[in-house]
Amino acid sequence: MPTNDLLSSPLRTSVVALWRYKGRAAAVFIVTMAAAVAALFLVPREYESEARLLVRIGRENAALDPTASTGHTIALSSTRETEINSIVEHLRSRSLLERTFVLVEPESTSAPPLEREMAFRSFQKTVHIDSPRASTVVLVQCAAATPQRAQKTLATLLDLYLDEHMRISRNLGSHAFFVKQSASLKEQLDGARQGLRDAKNKAAVASLEGGRTALESQINSVEMRLREANASLAASRARSASLHGELDDVREALLGQLVQGSPNDGLAGMRQKLFELRARQEEILSTHTDEHPRAIAIRLELEGLEKALRAAEPDRHEIMQAILARETSEQASLAAQKEQLESQLSQLNRKLLELNENERVIAGLTTEVTQLEATYLGYVEKTEEARMDEALRADRITNVSILQPASFVPKPIRPQKASVLVMACLLGIFGAFAVALMSDQYGSPHRSSENGTDAGASTGRGVSSAKPHGASPSGKNGKRGDPERHYVKV
């Protein structure tokens, strides 16, 4: 039983059928391999060029556009993954691929719209753009009929993308806009400064705080001097009133010393010399007579000095008048000083009132100038940023760098010979088995009987043929001419 099961297994049947129809199986395998080889020679070859872009942190993603920060700004969070996806979608955009298609195939512009659309869609399928996860590198691939065409197409696409990336990253007219606005603000600032200067010239101050401080200091000084003058004038008047009753009791010798307000040094010297001459006279008379020449000489000198002293000393009435006249003149001086100080104080108070009146105008102009200066400096800074953006755009400096330029690969990517041959070999083997099995299953009965007889003989088993019961050669139990049924007994 195991032997019979083994011999009647599907594997044995397949092997027997393959051996029995080995010619047909070989023909199918050879035709399949020949078709594969012919396809390798007839199918057009396809070449691929590859490039890689590196996305760095630059002005496009780390700084705001000058026109985006002229007013109140809102903090927006943008991840690197978002930026990479934006670059990939830009590279896949139809406008960019259409411009590349027109530059690579200029003859397509004269084609009908439908034909041109079909050609563009075929071209669009040859471009593959992707970015690996957790990476800042963008992979760009392009396939074409020749390696030169693939490289040229990919290089054209990258050049157009870099130009478009620089264009859309910044506003092209921002520099001209800021230059115009800066010039307008400069004119307004000059006008406001001129108005502030005129207001300060009218108020005769360099600054409000400085002018107010200087004016208050002058007012305080004048008020202090005025108080001192008033006090001195009051003291002088009181002294003059008291002198009328007190000078009568002052000795005449002291009155002469008070004329100038201090002792008279000339009269004091004459009195001292007179005292000394009298002392010498007494000394000479103590040793000599009155007729002695020395005594006569000293006596004459004494008489002349006394006469000169009497002529130099004023009388009591004149001294009193002189003292009172001096007090009167001092009072007049103090009164004049007081009047002058009061006039100065009045002028300073009027200036203070004028300064208070001009303070509102000057403060308003100062605020306007400060605001215009801040705005003008901001616009100057934005103008410089816009100028720098235009310079970077002109020199094609951006945060997207070509990490790997468009490559030139002379080896085609399709068709792949090894894969095609392996697939053809497998298909040929499968086809050979299928043809052999089908031929064995649907083959003629005589052939099947003969094959069965041959198979039995080859196995050494007894084989006999018999007719079914009720069958006759003449065909009594069946139609005449029917083929004879054979039964193989094992």
Side-chain angles (χ1 to χ4, degrees), residues 246-486:
E246 295 178 357
L247 287 179
D248 295 336
D249 301 332
V250 179
R251 291 182 300 174
E252 187 175 351
L254 295 177
L255 286 176
Q257 296 179 358
L258 296 174
V259 174
Q260 299 298 330
S262 61
N264 195 333
D265 295 336
L267 294 177
M270 293 176 66
R271 292 191 181 94
Q272 180 65 28
K273 188 175 181 181
L274 180 61
F275 176 77
E276 293 176 355
L277 289 176
R278 286 177 178 175
R280 288 177 59 190
Q281 183 182 22
E282 292 180 357
E283 183 181 354
I284 292 173
L285 290 176
S286 63
T287 57
H288 299 83
T289 62
D290 293 337
E291 300 299 332
H292 193 275
R294 292 183 62 188
I296 296 172
I298 195 68
R299 186 171 56 252
L300 293 175
E301 188 175 357
L302 281 172
E303 291 176 356
L305 185 58
E306 289 176 353
K307 185 178 179 180
L309 185 60
R310 284 193 303 269
E313 288 182 350
D315 57 1
R316 185 179 184 88
H317 179 71
E318 292 177 352
I319 293 175
M320 291 177 63
Q321 291 295 327
I323 293 174
L324 294 176
R326 189 191 63 182
E327 292 296 332
T328 302
S329 63
E330 184 176 356
Q331 292 176 12
S333 175
L334 292 174
Q337 184 180 2
K338 176 185 176 182
E339 184 179 357
Q340 181 65 26
L341 292 174
E342 289 177 347
S343 176
Q344 292 181 5
L345 182 61
S346 177
Q347 292 178 0
L348 292 174
N349 288 329
R350 284 196 299 270
K351 288 184 178 181
L352 182 60
L353 293 176
E354 293 177 359
L355 181 61
N356 293 333
E357 291 294 331
N358 295 326
E359 182 177 7
R360 181 181 59 83
V361 178
I362 295 176
L365 291 174
T366 302
T367 303
E368 182 181 359
V369 169
T370 303
Q371 293 176 352
L372 288 175
E373 284 179 349
T375 306
Y376 175 71
L377 292 177
Y379 271 79
V380 169
E381 182 178 356
K382 299 303 178 184
T383 303
E384 179 61 22
E385 291 181 5
R387 186 200 64 79
M388 187 179 299
D389 288 341
E390 287 196 354
L392 292 175
R393 188 182 300 109
D395 295 338
R396 301 190 64 174
I397 300 175
T398 179
N399 67 321
V400 178
S401 303
I402 299 180
L403 183 62
Q404 173 187 324
S407 60
F408 179 83
V409 183
K411 182 179 179 180
I413 59 171
R414 283 183 291 271
Q416 299 180 357
K417 296 181 179 179
S419 301
V420 171
L421 293 177
V422 170
M423 292 296 297
C425 182
L426 295 176
L427 184 61
I429 294 173
F430 177 77
F433 270 98
V435 169
L437 291 175
M438 291 178 64
S439 298
D440 184 67
Q441 183 177 359
Y442 299 103
S444 64
H446 295 282
R447 183 64 179 171
S448 301
S449 176
E450 292 173 359
N451 292 339
T453 304
D454 294 342
S458 63
T459 57
R461 302 292 182 92
V463 180
S464 63
S465 61
K467 297 181 180 179
H469 294 287
S472 63
S474 61
K476 292 181 180 180
N477 297 328
K479 293 181 179 182
R480 187 178 182 85
D482 288 343
E484 184 179 2
R485 298 180 181 178
H486 298 272

Side-chain angles (χ1 to χ4, degrees), residues 183-197 372:
S184 177
L185 282 174
K186 186 65 168 59
E187 294 179 359
Q188 297 180 21
L189 180 59
D190 292 339
R193 285 176 175 173
Q194 182 62 38
L196 179 60
R197 191 180 302 111
L372 288 175

Side-chain angles (χ1 to χ4, degrees), residues 68-83:
S69 58
T70 53
H72 298 287
T73 58
I74 302 175
L76 299 176
S77 59
S78 178
T79 61
R80 297 282 286 163
E81 183 179 359
T82 303
E83 183 181 6

Side-chain angles (χ1 to χ4, degrees), residues 18 21-35 428-429 431-432 435:
L18 182 63
Y21 297 102
K22 56 182 174 292
R24 297 181 184 181
V28 170
F29 181 80
I30 292 173
V31 169
T32 303
M33 294 300 296
I429 294 173
V435 169

